[in-house]
Coordinates of all heavy atoms in Angstrom, one line a residue:
M1 N -6.3 -20.1 10.5 CA -5.5 -19.1 9.9 C -5.2 -19.4 8.4 O -4.8 -20.5 8.1 CB -4.3 -19.0 10.7 CG -3.4 -17.8 10.3 SD -2.1 -17.6 11.6 CE -0.8 -17.3 10.5
S2 N -5.4 -18.4 7.6 CA -5.1 -18.7 6.1 C -3.6 -18.6 5.9 O -2.8 -18.0 6.6 CB -5.8 -17.6 5.3 OG -5.3 -16.4 5.5
E3 N -3.2 -19.3 4.8 CA -1.8 -19.4 4.4 C -1.6 -18.5 3.2 O -2.3 -18.5 2.3 CB -1.5 -20.8 4.1 CG -0.1 -21.1 3.9 CD 0.2 -22.5 3.7 OE1 -0.3 -23.4 4.4 OE2 1.0 -22.9 2.7
L4 N -0.5 -17.7 3.3 CA -0.2 -16.9 2.2 C 0.8 -17.6 1.2 O 1.6 -18.4 1.6 CB 0.6 -15.6 2.6 CG -0.2 -14.6 3.4 CD1 0.7 -13.5 3.9 CD2 -1.3 -14.0 2.5
T5 N 0.5 -17.4 -0.1 CA 1.4 -18.0 -1.1 C 2.6 -17.0 -1.4 O 2.4 -15.8 -1.1 CB 0.7 -18.3 -2.4 OG1 0.2 -17.1 -2.9 CG2 -0.5 -19.2 -2.2
T6 N 3.6 -17.5 -1.9 CA 4.7 -16.6 -2.3 C 4.3 -15.6 -3.3 O 5.0 -14.5 -3.4 CB 6.0 -17.4 -2.7 OG1 5.7 -18.2 -3.8 CG2 6.5 -18.1 -1.5
A7 N 3.3 -15.9 -4.1 CA 2.9 -14.9 -5.2 C 2.3 -13.7 -4.5 O 2.3 -12.6 -5.2 CB 1.9 -15.6 -6.1
S8 N 1.8 -13.7 -3.3 CA 1.3 -12.5 -2.7 C 2.1 -12.1 -1.5 O 1.7 -11.4 -0.6 CB -0.1 -12.8 -2.3 OG -0.2 -13.8 -1.3
S9 N 3.4 -12.5 -1.5 CA 4.4 -12.1 -0.4 C 5.4 -11.2 -1.0 O 5.8 -11.4 -2.2 CB 5.0 -13.3 0.2 OG 4.0 -14.2 0.8
F10 N 5.9 -10.3 -0.1 CA 6.9 -9.3 -0.6 C 8.0 -9.1 0.4 O 7.8 -9.3 1.6 CB 6.2 -7.9 -0.8 CG 5.0 -8.0 -1.7 CD1 3.8 -8.2 -1.2 CD2 5.2 -8.0 -3.1 CE1 2.7 -8.3 -2.1 CE2 4.1 -8.1 -4.0 CZ 2.9 -8.2 -3.4
I11 N 9.2 -8.7 0.0 CA 10.2 -8.3 0.8 C 10.3 -6.8 0.7 O 10.4 -6.3 -0.4 CB 11.6 -8.9 0.4 CG1 11.5 -10.4 0.5 CG2 12.7 -8.3 1.2 CD1 12.8 -11.1 0.0
I12 N 10.2 -6.1 1.9 CA 10.3 -4.6 1.8 C 11.6 -4.3 2.5 O 11.8 -4.6 3.7 CB 9.1 -4.0 2.5 CG1 7.8 -4.4 1.8 CG2 9.2 -2.5 2.6 CD1 6.5 -4.0 2.5
R13 N 12.5 -3.7 1.8 CA 13.8 -3.3 2.3 C 13.8 -1.8 2.6 O 13.6 -1.0 1.6 CB 14.9 -3.6 1.4 CG 15.0 -5.1 1.1 CD 16.1 -5.4 0.1 NE 16.1 -6.7 -0.4 CZ 16.7 -7.8 0.2 NH1 17.4 -7.6 1.2 NH2 16.6 -9.0 -0.3
I14 N 13.9 -1.4 3.8 CA 14.0 0.0 4.1 C 15.4 0.4 4.4 O 16.0 -0.1 5.3 CB 13.1 0.3 5.4 CG1 11.7 0.0 5.0 CG2 13.2 1.8 5.7 CD1 10.7 0.2 6.1
Y15 N 16.0 1.3 3.6 CA 17.3 1.7 3.7 C 17.5 3.0 4.5 O 18.6 3.2 5.0 CB 18.0 1.9 2.3 CG 18.0 0.6 1.5 CD1 17.2 0.4 0.4 CD2 18.8 -0.5 1.9 CE1 17.2 -0.8 -0.3 CE2 18.9 -1.7 1.3 CZ 18.1 -1.8 0.1 OH 18.1 -3.0 -0.5
R16 N 16.5 3.8 4.4 CA 16.7 5.1 5.1 C 15.3 5.5 5.7 O 14.3 5.5 5.0 CB 17.2 6.1 4.2 CG 17.6 7.4 4.9 CD 18.3 8.4 3.9 NE 19.5 7.8 3.4 CZ 19.8 7.7 2.0 NH1 19.0 8.2 1.1 NH2 20.9 7.1 1.6
A17 N 15.2 6.0 6.9 CA 14.0 6.5 7.5 C 14.4 7.8 8.2 O 15.4 7.9 8.9 CB 13.4 5.5 8.5
D18 N 13.5 8.8 8.1 CA 13.7 10.1 8.8 C 12.9 10.1 10.1 O 11.7 10.1 10.1 CB 13.2 11.2 7.8 CG 13.5 12.6 8.4 OD1 14.0 12.7 9.5 OD2 13.4 13.6 7.6
P19 N 13.6 10.1 11.2 CA 12.8 10.1 12.5 C 12.0 11.4 12.7 O 11.0 11.3 13.4 CB 13.9 10.1 13.6 CG 15.2 9.8 12.9 CD 15.0 10.1 11.4
A20 N 12.4 12.5 12.1 CA 11.6 13.7 12.3 C 10.3 13.7 11.4 O 9.3 14.3 11.6 CB 12.4 14.9 11.9
E21 N 10.4 12.9 10.3 CA 9.2 12.9 9.3 C 9.0 11.4 9.0 O 9.6 10.8 8.1 CB 9.6 13.6 8.1 CG 8.4 13.9 7.2 CD 7.4 14.8 7.8 OE1 7.7 15.8 8.4 OE2 6.2 14.5 7.6
P22 N 8.2 10.7 9.8 CA 8.0 9.3 9.7 C 7.5 8.8 8.3 O 7.7 7.6 7.9 CB 7.0 8.9 10.8 CG 7.0 10.0 11.7 CD 7.5 11.2 10.9
R23 N 6.9 9.6 7.6 CA 6.3 9.3 6.3 C 7.4 9.1 5.2 O 7.2 8.5 4.1 CB 5.3 10.2 5.7 CG 4.0 10.3 6.6 CD 3.0 11.2 5.9 NE 2.7 10.9 4.5 CZ 1.8 10.0 4.1 NH1 1.2 9.2 5.0 NH2 1.6 9.8 2.9
L24 N 8.6 9.7 5.5 CA 9.7 9.6 4.5 C 10.6 8.3 4.8 O 11.3 8.2 5.8 CB 10.6 10.9 4.6 CG 9.9 12.2 4.3 CD1 10.9 13.3 4.5 CD2 9.3 12.1 2.9
L25 N 10.4 7.4 3.9 CA 11.2 6.1 3.9 C 11.8 6.0 2.5 O 11.2 6.3 1.5 CB 10.3 5.0 4.2 CG 9.5 5.0 5.4 CD1 8.4 3.8 5.4 CD2 10.4 4.8 6.6
T26 N 13.0 5.4 2.5 CA 13.6 5.0 1.2 C 13.9 3.5 1.2 O 14.4 3.0 2.2 CB 14.9 5.8 1.0 OG1 14.6 7.2 1.1 CG2 15.5 5.6 -0.3
G27 N 13.5 2.9 0.1 CA 13.8 1.5 0.1 C 13.3 0.8 -1.3 O 13.1 1.5 -2.2
L28 N 13.2 -0.5 -1.2 CA 12.8 -1.3 -2.3 C 11.7 -2.3 -1.9 O 11.8 -2.8 -0.8 CB 14.0 -2.1 -2.9 CG 15.1 -1.4 -3.6 CD1 16.2 -2.4 -3.9 CD2 14.5 -0.9 -5.0
V29 N 10.9 -2.7 -2.8 CA 9.9 -3.7 -2.7 C 10.2 -4.8 -3.7 O 10.4 -4.5 -4.8 CB 8.5 -3.2 -2.9 CG1 7.5 -4.3 -2.7 CG2 8.1 -2.1 -1.9
E30 N 10.3 -6.0 -3.2 CA 10.5 -7.1 -4.1 C 9.5 -8.2 -3.9 O 9.3 -8.7 -2.8 CB 11.9 -7.8 -3.8 CG 13.1 -6.8 -3.9 CD 14.4 -7.4 -3.5 OE1 14.6 -8.6 -4.0 OE2 15.1 -6.8 -2.7
P31 N 8.8 -8.7 -5.0 CA 7.9 -9.8 -4.8 C 8.7 -11.1 -4.7 O 9.8 -11.2 -5.2 CB 7.1 -9.7 -6.1 CG 8.0 -9.1 -7.1 CD 8.9 -8.1 -6.3
M32 N 8.1 -12.0 -4.0 CA 8.7 -13.3 -3.7 C 8.3 -14.4 -4.7 O 8.3 -15.5 -4.5 CB 8.5 -13.8 -2.3 CG 9.2 -13.0 -1.3 SD 9.0 -13.6 0.4 CE 9.7 -15.2 0.2
D33 N 7.8 -13.9 -6.0 CA 7.3 -14.8 -7.0 C 8.4 -15.3 -7.9 O 8.1 -16.0 -8.9 CB 6.2 -14.2 -7.7 CG 6.6 -12.9 -8.5 OD1 7.8 -12.5 -8.4 OD2 5.8 -12.2 -9.1
G34 N 9.7 -14.8 -7.7 CA 10.8 -15.2 -8.6 C 10.9 -14.4 -9.8 O 11.8 -14.7 -10.6
S35 N 10.2 -13.3 -10.0 CA 10.3 -12.5 -11.1 C 11.5 -11.6 -11.2 O 11.9 -11.1 -12.2 CB 9.0 -11.6 -11.3 OG 9.0 -10.7 -10.2
G36 N 12.1 -11.3 -10.0 CA 13.2 -10.4 -10.0 C 12.9 -9.0 -10.0 O 13.8 -8.1 -10.1
A37 N 11.6 -8.7 -10.0 CA 11.2 -7.2 -10.1 C 11.6 -6.5 -8.8 O 11.5 -7.1 -7.7 CB 9.7 -7.1 -10.3
R38 N 12.0 -5.3 -8.9 CA 12.2 -4.4 -7.8 C 11.7 -3.0 -8.0 O 11.9 -2.5 -9.1 CB 13.7 -4.3 -7.5 CG 14.4 -5.6 -7.1 CD 15.9 -5.3 -6.9 NE 16.5 -6.5 -6.3 CZ 17.7 -6.5 -5.9 NH1 18.5 -5.5 -6.1 NH2 18.2 -7.6 -5.4
I39 N 10.9 -2.5 -7.1 CA 10.4 -1.2 -7.3 C 10.8 -0.3 -6.1 O 10.6 -0.6 -4.9 CB 8.8 -1.2 -7.2 CG1 8.3 -2.1 -8.4 CG2 8.2 0.2 -7.4 CD1 6.8 -2.2 -8.6
P40 N 11.5 0.8 -6.4 CA 12.0 1.7 -5.3 C 10.9 2.5 -4.9 O 9.9 2.8 -5.5 CB 13.1 2.5 -6.0 CG 12.7 2.5 -7.5 CD 12.0 1.2 -7.7
F41 N 11.0 3.0 -3.6 CA 10.0 3.9 -3.1 C 10.7 5.0 -2.2 O 11.8 4.8 -1.7 CB 8.9 3.2 -2.2 CG 9.4 2.5 -1.1 CD1 9.6 3.1 0.2 CD2 9.8 1.1 -1.2 CE1 10.0 2.3 1.3 CE2 10.2 0.4 -0.1 CZ 10.3 1.0 1.1
A42 N 10.1 6.2 -2.1 CA 10.8 7.3 -1.4 C 9.9 7.8 -0.3 O 10.3 8.7 0.5 CB 11.1 8.4 -2.3
D43 N 8.7 7.3 -0.1 CA 7.8 7.7 1.0 C 6.7 6.6 1.1 O 6.6 5.7 0.3 CB 7.2 9.1 0.8 CG 6.4 9.3 -0.4 OD1 5.9 8.3 -1.0 OD2 6.2 10.4 -0.8
L44 N 5.8 6.8 2.1 CA 4.8 5.8 2.3 C 3.8 5.7 1.1 O 3.3 4.6 0.8 CB 3.9 6.1 3.6 CG 4.7 5.8 4.9 CD1 3.8 6.1 6.0 CD2 5.0 4.3 4.9
D45 N 3.5 6.8 0.4 CA 2.6 6.8 -0.7 C 3.3 6.0 -1.9 O 2.6 5.2 -2.5 CB 2.3 8.2 -1.2 CG 1.5 9.0 -0.2 OD1 0.7 8.3 0.5 OD2 1.6 10.2 -0.2
D46 N 4.6 6.2 -2.1 CA 5.2 5.4 -3.1 C 5.2 3.8 -2.8 O 5.1 3.0 -3.6 CB 6.7 5.8 -3.2 CG 6.9 7.1 -4.0 OD1 5.9 7.6 -4.6 OD2 8.0 7.6 -4.0
L47 N 5.4 3.6 -1.5 CA 5.4 2.2 -1.0 C 4.0 1.5 -1.3 O 3.9 0.5 -1.9 CB 5.7 2.1 0.4 CG 5.6 0.7 1.1 CD1 6.4 -0.3 0.4 CD2 5.9 0.8 2.6
A48 N 2.9 2.3 -1.0 CA 1.6 1.8 -1.3 C 1.3 1.6 -2.8 O 0.8 0.6 -3.2 CB 0.5 2.8 -0.7
C49 N 1.8 2.5 -3.6 CA 1.7 2.4 -5.0 C 2.4 1.2 -5.6 O 2.0 0.4 -6.4 CB 2.2 3.6 -5.7 SG 1.0 5.0 -5.6
A50 N 3.7 1.0 -5.0 CA 4.5 -0.2 -5.5 C 3.8 -1.5 -5.1 O 3.8 -2.4 -6.0 CB 5.9 -0.1 -4.8
L51 N 3.2 -1.6 -3.9 CA 2.5 -2.8 -3.6 C 1.3 -3.0 -4.4 O 1.0 -4.2 -4.8 CB 2.2 -2.8 -2.1 CG 3.4 -2.9 -1.1 CD1 2.9 -2.6 0.3 CD2 4.0 -4.2 -1.2
N52 N 0.6 -2.0 -4.7 CA -0.6 -2.1 -5.6 C -0.2 -2.5 -7.0 O -0.9 -3.4 -7.6 CB -1.4 -0.8 -5.6 CG -2.2 -0.6 -4.4 OD1 -2.8 -1.5 -3.9 ND2 -2.3 0.6 -3.9
V53 N 0.9 -2.0 -7.5 CA 1.3 -2.4 -8.8 C 1.7 -3.8 -8.8 O 1.3 -4.6 -9.7 CB 2.5 -1.5 -9.3 CG1 3.3 -2.1 -10.5 CG2 2.1 -0.1 -9.6
L54 N 2.4 -4.3 -7.8 CA 2.9 -5.7 -7.8 C 1.7 -6.6 -7.5 O 1.8 -7.8 -7.9 CB 3.9 -5.8 -6.7 CG 5.3 -5.2 -7.0 CD1 6.2 -5.2 -5.7 CD2 5.9 -5.9 -8.1
M55 N 0.6 -6.1 -6.9 CA -0.6 -7.0 -6.8 C -1.6 -6.8 -7.9 O -2.7 -7.3 -7.8 CB -1.2 -6.7 -5.4 CG -0.3 -7.1 -4.2 SD -1.0 -6.8 -2.6 CE -2.3 -7.9 -2.6
N56 N -1.1 -6.1 -9.0 CA -2.0 -5.9 -10.1 C -3.3 -5.1 -9.8 O -4.3 -5.4 -10.4 CB -2.3 -7.2 -10.8 CG -1.1 -7.9 -11.4 OD1 -0.2 -7.2 -11.8 ND2 -1.1 -9.2 -11.2
R57 N -3.2 -4.2 -8.9 CA -4.3 -3.3 -8.6 C -4.0 -1.9 -9.2 O -2.9 -1.5 -9.2 CB -4.5 -3.1 -7.1 CG -4.9 -4.3 -6.4 CD -5.1 -4.0 -5.0 NE -5.5 -5.3 -4.3 CZ -5.5 -5.4 -3.0 NH1 -5.1 -4.3 -2.2 NH2 -5.8 -6.5 -2.4
Q58 N -5.0 -1.3 -9.7 CA -4.9 0.0 -10.3 C -4.8 1.1 -9.2 O -4.0 2.0 -9.3 CB -6.1 0.3 -11.2 CG -6.1 -0.6 -12.4 CD -4.9 -0.4 -13.3 OE1 -4.4 0.7 -13.5 NE2 -4.4 -1.5 -13.8
R59 N -5.6 1.0 -8.2 CA -5.5 2.0 -7.1 C -6.1 1.3 -5.8 O -6.7 0.3 -5.8 CB -6.4 3.2 -7.5 CG -7.9 2.8 -7.7 CD -8.6 4.0 -8.3 NE -9.8 3.5 -9.0 CZ -10.9 4.0 -9.0 NH1 -11.2 5.1 -8.4 NH2 -11.9 3.5 -9.7
P60 N -5.7 1.9 -4.7 CA -6.1 1.3 -3.4 C -7.6 1.3 -3.3 O -8.3 2.2 -3.8 CB -5.5 2.3 -2.4 CG -4.6 3.2 -3.1 CD -4.9 3.2 -4.5
R61 N -8.2 0.2 -2.8 CA -9.6 0.1 -2.6 C -9.9 0.7 -1.2 O -9.3 0.5 -0.2 CB -10.0 -1.4 -2.5 CG -9.8 -2.0 -3.9 CD -10.2 -3.5 -3.8 NE -9.9 -4.1 -5.1 CZ -10.1 -5.4 -5.3 NH1 -10.5 -6.2 -4.3 NH2 -9.8 -5.9 -6.5
R62 N -11.0 1.5 -1.2 CA -11.5 2.0 0.0 C -12.7 1.3 0.5 O -13.6 1.0 -0.2 CB -11.9 3.5 -0.2 CG -10.7 4.4 -0.5 CD -11.1 5.8 -0.5 NE -9.9 6.7 -0.8 CZ -10.0 7.9 -0.8 NH1 -11.1 8.6 -0.6 NH2 -8.9 8.6 -1.0
R63 N -12.7 1.0 1.8 CA -13.8 0.3 2.4 C -14.7 1.4 3.1 O -14.1 2.2 3.8 CB -13.4 -0.7 3.4 CG -12.7 -1.8 2.7 CD -12.3 -2.9 3.8 NE -11.6 -3.9 3.1 CZ -11.1 -5.0 3.8 NH1 -11.3 -5.1 5.1 NH2 -10.5 -5.9 3.1
R64 N -15.9 1.2 3.0 CA -16.9 2.1 3.7 C -17.5 1.4 4.8 O -17.9 0.2 4.6 CB -17.9 2.7 2.7 CG -17.3 3.5 1.6 CD -18.4 4.1 0.8 NE -18.9 5.2 1.5 CZ -19.9 5.9 1.0 NH1 -20.4 5.7 -0.1 NH2 -20.3 7.0 1.7
H65 N -17.6 1.9 5.9 CA -18.2 1.3 7.1 C -19.7 1.5 6.9 O -20.2 2.5 6.6 CB -17.7 2.0 8.4 CG -18.1 1.3 9.6 ND1 -19.4 1.3 10.1 CD2 -17.4 0.4 10.3 CE1 -19.4 0.5 11.1 NE2 -18.2 0.0 11.3
P66 N -20.4 0.3 6.9 CA -21.9 0.4 6.7 C -22.6 1.3 7.7 O -23.8 1.7 7.3 CB -22.3 -1.1 6.8 CG -21.2 -1.8 7.5 CD -20.0 -1.0 7.3
A67 N -22.1 1.5 8.9 CA -22.8 2.3 9.9 C -22.6 3.8 9.7 O -23.3 4.6 10.3 CB -22.4 1.9 11.3
V68 N -21.7 4.2 8.7 CA -21.5 5.6 8.5 C -22.6 6.2 7.7 O -22.8 5.7 6.6 CB -20.1 5.9 7.9 CG1 -19.9 7.3 7.5 CG2 -19.0 5.4 8.8
R69 N -23.2 7.2 8.1 CA -24.3 7.9 7.4 C -24.0 9.3 7.2 O -23.4 10.0 8.1 CB -25.6 7.7 8.1 CG -26.0 6.2 8.1 CD -27.4 6.1 8.8 NE -27.6 4.7 9.0 CZ -28.7 4.1 8.6 NH1 -29.6 4.8 7.9 NH2 -28.9 2.8 8.7
H70 N -24.3 9.9 6.1 CA -24.1 11.3 5.9 C -25.3 12.1 6.2 O -26.5 11.6 6.1 CB -23.8 11.5 4.4 CG -22.5 10.8 4.0 ND1 -21.3 11.3 4.3 CD2 -22.3 9.6 3.4 CE1 -20.3 10.5 3.9 NE2 -20.9 9.5 3.3
P71 N -25.2 13.3 6.7 CA -26.3 14.1 7.0 C -27.2 14.4 5.8 O -26.7 14.4 4.7 CB -25.8 15.4 7.6 CG -24.3 15.3 7.6 CD -24.0 14.0 7.0
P72 N -28.5 14.5 6.0 CA -29.4 14.8 4.9 C -29.0 16.1 4.2 O -28.5 17.1 4.8 CB -30.8 15.0 5.5 CG -30.7 14.5 6.8 CD -29.3 14.5 7.3
G73 N -29.1 16.1 2.8 CA -28.7 17.2 2.0 C -27.3 17.3 1.6 O -26.8 18.2 0.8
R74 N -26.5 16.4 2.2 CA -25.1 16.4 1.8 C -24.8 15.3 0.8 O -25.2 14.2 1.0 CB -24.2 16.2 3.1 CG -22.7 16.2 2.8 CD -22.0 16.0 4.0 NE -20.6 15.7 3.6 CZ -19.8 15.0 4.4 NH1 -20.1 14.6 5.5 NH2 -18.6 14.8 4.0
N75 N -24.1 15.6 -0.3 CA -23.8 14.6 -1.3 C -22.8 13.6 -0.8 O -21.8 14.1 -0.1 CB -23.3 15.3 -2.6 CG -24.4 16.1 -3.3 OD1 -25.6 15.8 -3.1 ND2 -24.0 17.0 -4.0
E76 N -22.9 12.4 -1.1 CA -21.9 11.4 -0.6 C -20.7 11.6 -1.5 O -20.8 11.9 -2.7 CB -22.5 10.0 -0.7 CG -23.5 9.7 0.3 CD -23.9 8.3 0.3 OE1 -23.3 7.4 -0.3 OE2 -24.9 8.0 0.9
P77 N -19.5 11.3 -1.0 CA -18.3 11.5 -1.8 C -18.1 10.3 -2.8 O -18.7 9.3 -2.7 CB -17.1 11.4 -0.8 CG -17.7 10.9 0.5 CD -19.2 11.1 0.4

């Protein structure tokens, strides 16, 4: 099992969640690198963006399954 360093570890504090709409969360993301940075979020998309910013990524990476094939004549996305 690989070991995570604190540079890639985060504390995610969820202060409010809507049971009727699970995507709506309110909270903060804090890296454990000692920087003191805090990024607020208001839904799952904001949370993903905050984690990507803290991990120095511009946008989420998408993985393509090698077995997925598109029908002939259809342009790949």
Side-chain angles (χ1 to χ4, degrees):
M1 184 166 137
S2 65
E3 187 176 315
L4 292 175
T5 63
T6 56
S8 60
S9 298
F10 306 94
I11 296 173
I12 300 173
R13 299 178 192 271
I14 298 175
Y15 296 112
R16 190 172 300 129
D18 186 352
E21 193 65 42
R23 293 185 55 83
L24 298 179
L25 301 170
T26 303
L28 286 172
V29 178
E30 301 176 49
M32 293 185 61
D33 61 1
S35 68
R38 291 181 175 183
I39 299 180
F41 60 90
D43 60 22
L44 284 179
D45 293 330
D46 284 351
L47 174 57
C49 287
L51 290 172
N52 282 320
V53 165
L54 291 170
M55 293 181 69
N56 296 322
R57 292 183 183 165
Q58 295 297 322
R59 56 189 158 143
R61 295 181 184 175
R62 293 186 178 185
R63 293 184 182 178
R64 296 183 81 181
H65 192 279
V68 174
R69 296 180 187 238
H70 296 280
R74 181 176 168 208
N75 294 333
E76 292 187 10

